[in-house]
Amino acid sequence: FLCLNASGLWGQRITDLKNKALAGDVDSQLHAGFIYSKGPREDRKEAHYWMTMAAGKGMLSACRYLGFAYVGGKGTAQNKNLARKWFGMGSRKGDTLSMIGLAECLSKQEERIESAAWLLLAKDLGEPRSLWRLEQSMKRLNAMEKTKAKDEAIKLKTTLPTGPSRQASKPFVMKKSSLTLQDGSSYRGATQNELPHGFGERVSRDGEIYQGY
């Protein structure tokens, strides 16, 4: 329901973003990947394209995204080896959600000790989503294997970056606000970069009310 001027402005923002991404700007690559990963512009193949660019430059959330994409075949063919590759890249840089994904891959390939080691490390780093998985993983190990997993987790921790890893910046600041559009109508709802984006309500100059996305 958004006016053509607002839609055109948003379309121009997308074009500008893609141009920056193609020029090598990693933040723009990541932002484009998020835009196409879900929502009204969802296009999993295009999301995969931009996320691959960002992950190649070490963006942790992009590495994690690709791991799950290859596990579930979202925007690409399922490939357990590539899932393991991207989860591994994120894990080695300290991303705890990548560690959980990597542990799942290792478990499915019967590498139970290393799988448990990554879950132990994720727990040690404060990741609450590792707890249930770790409990289930440890049940499948005998006493000697549990000791090996704990020793391996200690070794893995020493290989992590000592400084803070670069975290992915948020694609946009999402908020709810009121705007006056170029056609004179008013808008109240979700916005991004001072443009309507998401669910909201538009009131035309004639007083007609529209609600939707």
Side-chain angles (χ1 to χ4, degrees):
F1 69 85
L2 301 179
C3 71
L4 292 178
N5 286 332
S7 298
L9 285 172
W10 177 245
Q12 185 60 47
R13 291 286 181 89
I14 294 293
T15 299
D16 293 343
L17 183 69
K18 287 184 177 181
N19 287 336
K20 290 177 66 177
L22 288 172
D25 183 72
V26 67
D27 291 315
S28 296
Q29 292 164 358
L30 185 70
H31 293 174
F34 278 126
I35 287 172
Y36 289 105
S37 67
K38 59 183 178 180
R41 294 179 178 272
E42 181 176 333
D43 184 330
R44 292 295 179 87
K45 289 185 178 180
E46 182 151 4
H48 185 269
Y49 173 79
W50 296 116
M51 287 297 194
T52 299
M53 283 190 174
K57 294 184 178 179
M59 294 300 277
L60 300 186
S61 55
C63 293
R64 185 197 318 142
Y65 176 92
L66 289 180
F68 285 112
Y70 281 114
V71 167
K74 295 180 179 180
T76 186
Q78 287 183 304
N79 189 313
K80 62 183 180 182
N81 292 325
L82 287 176
R84 180 169 171 170
K85 168 190 172 180
W86 290 112
F87 280 139
M89 183 177 292
S91 297
R92 287 188 291 274
K93 292 186 177 184
D95 182 57
T96 55
L97 293 180
S98 290
M99 293 176 191
I100 291 175
L102 179 57
E104 294 287 342
C105 291
L106 292 166
S107 178
K108 290 178 180 178
Q109 295 176 335
E110 296 301 320
E111 297 181 48
R112 297 179 301 172
I113 295 175
E114 188 172 355
S115 174
W118 281 110
L119 291 173
L120 283 165
L121 180 53
K123 176 188 175 183
D124 186 52
L125 295 175
E127 177 53 64
R129 280 163 282 194
S130 66
L131 300 180
W132 180 84
R133 293 174 175 84
L134 177 59
E135 180 182 352
Q136 299 304 308
S137 178
M138 296 299 273
K139 287 180 180 179
R140 295 191 289 268
L141 302 181
N142 59 40
M144 183 176 293
E145 289 172 332
K146 288 178 182 179
T147 299
K148 289 182 178 180
K150 291 175 182 178
D151 290 341
E152 181 64 19
I154 293 172
K155 292 178 182 179
L156 289 172
K157 189 173 183 178
T158 65
T159 67
L160 297 181
T162 54
S165 297
R166 183 181 183 187
Q167 298 296 321
S169 56
K170 295 182 180 180
F172 293 98
V173 176
M174 175 69 79
K175 60 181 181 180
K176 291 184 178 180
S177 59
S178 298
L179 302 172
T180 299
L181 304 179
Q182 291 186 8
D183 65 350
S185 62
S186 62
Y187 171 85
R188 183 177 62 185
T191 63
Q192 285 183 346
N193 291 346
E194 300 182 355
L195 287 174
H197 186 77
F199 186 83
E201 177 183 88
R202 179 171 70 87
V203 181
S204 72
R205 296 176 64 181
D206 298 327
E208 294 183 343
I209 298 175
Y210 303 88
Q211 290 183 330
Y213 288 90

